Amino acid sequence: MQKKRVEVAVGVIEKNQKIFVCLRGEEQHQGGLWEFPGGKMEAGEDVFSALKRELQEEVGIEIYNSSELMRIEHDYADKAVCLYIHHVEDFSGEAHGAEGQPSKWVSVEQLHELTFPEANKTIVELLQARQN
């Protein structure tokens, strides 16, 4: 049987040299871990449209544009994910856990102190390498 494949639009939201992260709910896949916000892409939806919709719903911001950072394919035991990671700096609103999830702004240097899903570790490594 083939694993379920999920395509996800992910936003690395940056403001004042800090990155916005959220804590996944315990009931979610990879629950209890920190993440860069975003969500599943709908059929026929492009990455930016999905990112715009998901960030509005999840963290309450309106994004105006984004730039592609990277794409990550990762196999978990129960599913395969394809993450389309975009850097977001051009937005309005105050990012917060709009669905009641804990969230915070952290410096790039502090990202390694948080526990992320395995697929997100490459994002942290890229962001920290770009700082040096």
Side-chain angles (χ1 to χ4, degrees), residues 55-88:
L55 294 183
Q56 176 67 52
E57 293 170 7
E58 197 174 323
V59 299
I61 62 171
E62 179 77 23
I63 66 170
Y64 303 114
N65 60 52
S66 67
S67 57
E68 184 178 342
L69 266 182
M70 64 183 3
R71 188 174 110 189
I72 298 172
E73 303 254 356
H74 188 82
D75 280 342
Y76 288 104
D78 55 342
K79 68 173 81 172
V81 295
C82 179
L83 306 178
Y84 297 91
I85 297 97
H86 278 229
H87 188 226
V88 176

Side-chain angles (χ1 to χ4, degrees), residues 1-63:
M1 190 168 108
Q2 192 170 346
K3 279 185 198 176
K4 180 179 180 181
R5 184 172 192 271
V6 181
E7 293 192 318
V8 181
V10 177
V12 174
I13 305 165
E14 185 170 0
K15 180 178 177 183
N16 301 324
Q17 282 121 20
K18 298 216 178 206
I19 306 292
F20 189 75
V21 293
C22 298
L23 190 63
R24 294 185 64 76
E26 289 294 337
E27 72 289 349
Q28 294 177 294
H29 181 261
Q30 300 291 305
L33 302 178
W34 289 92
E35 69 173 349
F36 301 97
K40 294 178 192 165
M41 295 170 59
E42 295 175 357
E45 192 173 37
D46 65 78
V47 177
F48 183 75
S49 297
L51 193 59
K52 188 174 177 72
R53 176 181 51 76
E54 285 289 342
L55 294 183
Q56 176 67 52
E57 293 170 7
E58 197 174 323
V59 299
I61 62 171
E62 179 77 23
I63 66 170

Side-chain angles (χ1 to χ4, degrees), residues 36 70-74 85 116-129:
F36 301 97
M70 64 183 3
R71 188 174 110 189
I72 298 172
E73 303 254 356
H74 188 82
I85 297 97
F116 287 90
E118 196 60 40
N120 284 218
K121 291 179 180 176
T122 305
I123 303 169
V124 172
E125 290 168 6
L126 173 73
L127 293 172
Q128 290 185 331

